[in-house]
């Protein structure tokens, strides 16, 4: 591994540094770091040679794909490797083995693979195949890009002409988080920073509920997927608009999970459910920027007594979100992320995770990938039937819900750390969440 400054390809932006601090926290929990995954289930075996060519072209347009994440002084950078690692891998199901089990097992092995951070490849592409099931799995480390970036990478691989693929590599002068932060004069950045600190202090007044026994040492991440029918998805979308407004879909999902957790473990310690969630700074339907993270953070928090009342909970989270936006607290996290990027990973991670009382701030992690639009493009030689995501998560809370809408069907992906949370508990939680989403509950 080289160590000169001439091999530096790109510095991490402040949102990348945020995810890197969480990578360190996950590693300290004994897990594999901030590995994330996007799973596309295909209708047949794709054109492998075309797929390989496009992956090679992607790595040429975006050299950080083959880079190593290294620390230089206090900061972290993507640096050239002496030898570029392979990015494409094939996994074939043994004869007389279950295709579903092979897919689950292979994905779990890849997402739980433990490596030194400098050796971990920024992104990898895995084709998992059997005679009855074909899956394309993208695994990446979170500082490389966010979920919307993966959406764009997948769209790049599905774009037929080289001329159109070049559009994804159009130069962006600065990360969107920096562009947004630069809009404010220095004194307003200070005001925002102080607002952000007060916002976090208000959140920390209530002890966050942990619904599962996190005293057990974590062993590995598992995942469980629930894909709704188009009819069920339409019902969920209608309910989300009714209770949380046109832009409140994420709040609807979060509220339903809060209520499900409360019904599942009503005696858990704590005073309120608290969930961090991100909002994307990219404009809709743009092809750039692809790599790096371009998000800012928010929190959804609701006291236990409000969670027990369905309509009150929706109104509470909707009003909370409106208040945050009105006071510009959403962008107040930008100067906080800038300040945190200068701290050691260990110190920054603890600040992000722990309240002023030393308790875990998050009751669960949440991400709404939103509607994945692959119209007018096609996977090389195949079609994508279903899509879902997964991610490593700190322990506690040991649980993450990732939502994705593809071809009019909502997929709910539960990433959970075993043995803190069992498969049986997740199955119970899934049924409770589904009932809440469809309003089939009291």
């Amino acid at each position: 591994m080289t160590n000169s400054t001439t091999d530096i390809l790109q510095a991490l932006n402040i949102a990348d540094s945020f995810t890197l601090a969480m990578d360190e926290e996950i590693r300290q929990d004994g897990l594999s770091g901030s590995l994330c995954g996007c799973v596309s289930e295909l209708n047949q075996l794709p054109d492998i040679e075309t797929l390989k060519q496009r992956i090679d072209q992607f790595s040429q347009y975006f050299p950080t794909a083959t880079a190593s994440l290294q620390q230089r002084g206090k900061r972290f950078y993507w640096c050239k490797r002496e030898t570029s690692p392979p990015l494409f891998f094939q996994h074939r199901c043994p004869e007389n083995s279950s295709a579903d089990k092979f897919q689950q097992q292979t994905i779990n092995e890849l997402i739980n693979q433990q490596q030194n951070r400098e050796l971990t490849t920024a992104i990898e592409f895995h084709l998992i195949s059997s005679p009855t099931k074909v899956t394309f799995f993208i695994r990446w480390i979170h500082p490389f890009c966010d979920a919307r970036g993966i959406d764009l990478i997948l769209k790049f691989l599905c774009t037929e002409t080289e001329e159109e693929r070049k559009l994804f590599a159009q130069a962006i002068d600065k990360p969107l988080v920096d562009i947004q932060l630069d809009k404010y004069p220095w004194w307003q950045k200070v005001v925002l920073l102080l607002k952000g600190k007060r916002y976090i202090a208000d959140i920390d007044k209530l002890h966050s509920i942990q619904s599962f026994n996190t005293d057990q040492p974590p062993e590995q991440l598992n995942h469980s997927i629930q894909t709704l029918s188009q009819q069920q998805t339409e019902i969920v979308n209608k309910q989300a608009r009714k209770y949380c407004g046109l832009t409140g879909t994420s709040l609807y999902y979060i509220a339903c999970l809060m209520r499900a957790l409360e019904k599942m473990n009503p005696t858990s310690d704590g005073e309120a459910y608290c969930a961090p969630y991100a909002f994307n700074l990219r404009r809709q339907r743009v092809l750039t920027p692809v790599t790096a993270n371009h998000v800012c953070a928010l929190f959804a928090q609701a006291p236990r007594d409000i969670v027990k009342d369905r309509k009150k909970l929706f109104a509470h989270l909707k009003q909370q979100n409106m208040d945050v936006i009105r006071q510009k607290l959403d962008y107040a996290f930008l100067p906080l992320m800038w300040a945190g990027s200068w701290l050691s990973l260990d110190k920054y991670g603890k600040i992000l995770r722990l309240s002023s009382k030393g308790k875990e701030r998050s009751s669960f992690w949440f991400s709404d990938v939103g509607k994945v639009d692959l119209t007018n493009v096609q996977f090389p030689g195949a079609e994508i039937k279903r899509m879902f995501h997964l991610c490593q998560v700190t322990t506690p809370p040991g649980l993450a819900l990732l939502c994705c809408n593809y071809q009019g069907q909502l997929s709910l992906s539960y990433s959970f750390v075993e043995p803190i949370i069992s498969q049986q508990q997740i199955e119970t939680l899934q049924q409770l969440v589904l009932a809440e989403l469809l309003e089939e509950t009291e």
Side-chain angles (χ1 to χ4, degrees):
M1 197 74 66
T2 55
N3 285 308
S4 68
T5 56
T6 58
D7 66 335
I8 292 176
L9 293 170
Q10 182 177 301
L12 269 63
N13 70 42
I14 59 176
D16 303 336
S17 297
F18 178 99
T19 64
L20 182 60
M22 300 315 292
D23 175 85
E24 177 67 16
E25 288 297 297
I26 295 169
R27 288 174 183 273
Q28 289 186 15
D29 288 343
L31 300 171
S32 61
S34 60
L35 294 179
C36 306
C38 174
V39 179
S40 301
E41 294 181 354
L42 309 179
N43 68 331
Q44 63 185 21
L45 200 66
D47 182 338
I48 294 176
E49 288 306 311
T50 298
L51 183 58
K52 285 181 179 178
Q53 290 171 7
R54 292 183 187 176
I55 290 172
D56 288 341
Q57 189 178 65
F58 168 75
S59 67
Q60 293 167 13
Y61 285 154
F62 302 96
T64 53
T66 57
S68 168
L69 186 55
Q70 298 184 34
Q71 185 173 6
R72 304 292 171 81
K74 290 186 176 182
R75 309 310 292 267
F76 284 81
Y77 300 84
W78 292 108
C79 301
K80 289 182 181 178
R81 298 175 189 260
E82 294 178 357
T83 304
S84 294
L87 298 186
F88 180 72
F89 304 86
Q90 293 188 65
H91 310 264
R92 294 181 177 87
C93 181
E95 291 185 13
N96 302 321
S97 296
S98 165
D100 289 337
K101 287 183 179 179
F102 181 70
Q103 173 189 284
Q104 179 98 3
Q105 179 183 357
T106 304
I107 290 172
N108 280 350
E109 287 177 356
L110 292 169
I111 206 74
N112 285 293
Q113 186 178 35
Q114 297 200 8
Q115 286 182 305
N116 180 286
R117 186 183 290 121
E118 292 188 358
L119 298 177
T120 301
T121 309
I123 187 169
E124 293 180 353
F125 304 88
H126 296 264
L127 188 65
I128 306 167
S129 61
S130 71
T132 59
K133 193 162 194 171
V134 182
T135 301
F136 185 62
F137 177 57
I138 304 176
R139 190 197 75 177
W140 76 99
I141 185 169
H142 209 327
F144 176 70
C145 72
D146 49 38
R148 183 56 64 189
I150 291 297
D151 182 13
L152 294 172
I153 291 170
L154 190 58
K155 191 172 291 185
F156 175 97
L157 298 178
C158 293
T159 299
E160 186 173 353
T161 69
E162 183 173 351
E163 183 178 353
E164 289 176 305
R165 289 194 294 274
K166 285 181 179 178
L167 298 176
F168 291 81
Q170 291 178 341
I172 300 292
D173 293 331
K174 282 185 177 182
L176 297 182
V177 283
D178 291 343
I179 291 173
Q180 184 65 41
L181 189 58
D182 288 347
K183 292 179 180 179
Y184 302 103
W186 69 266
W187 62 267
Q188 199 166 0
K189 291 176 185 175
V190 173
V191 171
L192 283 173
L193 187 146
L194 295 175
K195 275 187 175 183
K197 291 185 70 174
R198 285 195 296 270
Y199 176 42
I200 294 297
D202 287 340
I203 291 288
D204 288 349
K205 288 177 181 177
L206 297 177
H207 176 200
S208 295
I209 295 167
Q210 301 299 318
S211 299
F212 302 96
N213 180 13
T214 56
D215 291 337
Q216 306 172 79
E219 293 181 4
Q220 68 167 4
L221 186 82
N222 201 346
H223 67 280
S224 184
I225 314 304
Q226 190 174 38
T227 299
L228 280 60
S229 67
Q230 289 188 347
Q231 182 180 7
Q232 288 175 319
T233 301
E234 289 174 3
I235 293 172
V236 172
N237 292 338
K238 181 180 178 181
Q239 300 288 40
R241 289 192 298 269
K242 174 182 175 182
Y243 290 112
C244 299
L246 292 174
T247 60
T249 306
S250 294
L251 296 178
Y252 185 71
Y253 300 153
I254 289 171
C256 290
L257 179 53
M258 286 179 175
R259 281 182 53 78
L261 288 170
E262 177 63 16
K263 288 185 175 182
M264 187 173 177
N265 292 306
T267 60
S268 300
D269 290 338
E271 301 164 309
Y273 290 92
C274 183
Y277 65 102
F279 67 95
N280 204 298
L281 297 177
R282 293 179 177 86
R283 290 182 289 116
Q284 291 294 321
R285 292 182 289 278
V286 296
L287 301 180
T288 57
V290 174
T291 59
N293 290 267
H294 303 276
V295 296
C296 201
L298 285 173
F299 282 95
Q301 186 188 56
R304 175 166 254 155
D305 60 334
I306 290 179
V307 172
K308 293 177 180 179
D309 187 310
R310 182 179 170 86
K311 291 185 179 180
K312 280 185 179 179
L313 174 59
F314 294 135
H316 171 81
L317 293 182
K318 184 179 178 181
Q319 186 61 51
Q320 184 181 72
N321 181 260
M322 290 172 59
D323 291 343
V324 163
I325 293 173
R326 187 182 69 252
Q327 299 173 46
K328 295 186 177 179
L329 290 172
D330 43 0
Y331 293 114
F333 278 94
L334 290 172
L336 285 173
M337 287 195 295
W338 174 84
S341 68
W342 291 96
L343 300 173
S344 69
L345 290 183
D346 182 64
K347 187 171 183 180
Y348 191 18
K350 295 298 184 291
I351 289 173
L352 290 173
R353 283 183 70 180
L354 303 181
S355 71
S356 56
K357 300 173 184 176
K359 301 290 186 179
E360 185 75 24
R361 184 175 288 122
S362 302
S363 299
F364 56 87
W365 287 13
F366 174 83
S367 179
D368 183 7
V369 179
K371 185 179 291 186
V372 177
D373 182 14
L374 294 178
T375 53
N376 302 321
V377 295
Q378 186 173 356
F379 201 89
E383 294 179 4
I384 298 174
K385 299 187 301 179
R386 183 173 77 144
M387 188 180 299
F388 61 87
H389 299 73
L390 61 154
C391 71
Q392 286 282 357
V393 58
T394 60
T395 309
L399 173 69
L401 173 62
L402 294 84
C403 301
C404 168
N405 193 318
Y406 178 67
Q407 291 189 340
Q409 289 188 270
L410 174 64
S411 284
L412 307 173
S413 174
Y414 296 82
S415 293
F416 59 101
V417 178
E418 296 176 324
I420 291 160
I421 306 173
S422 68
Q423 181 70 46
Q424 184 178 7
Q425 287 174 310
I426 285 296
E427 289 172 2
T428 300
L429 182 62
Q430 284 176 320
Q431 295 310 309
L432 290 170
V433 170
L434 182 61
E436 290 290 339
L437 288 169
L438 299 175
E439 204 175 16
E440 297 172 348
T441 180
E442 295 182 359

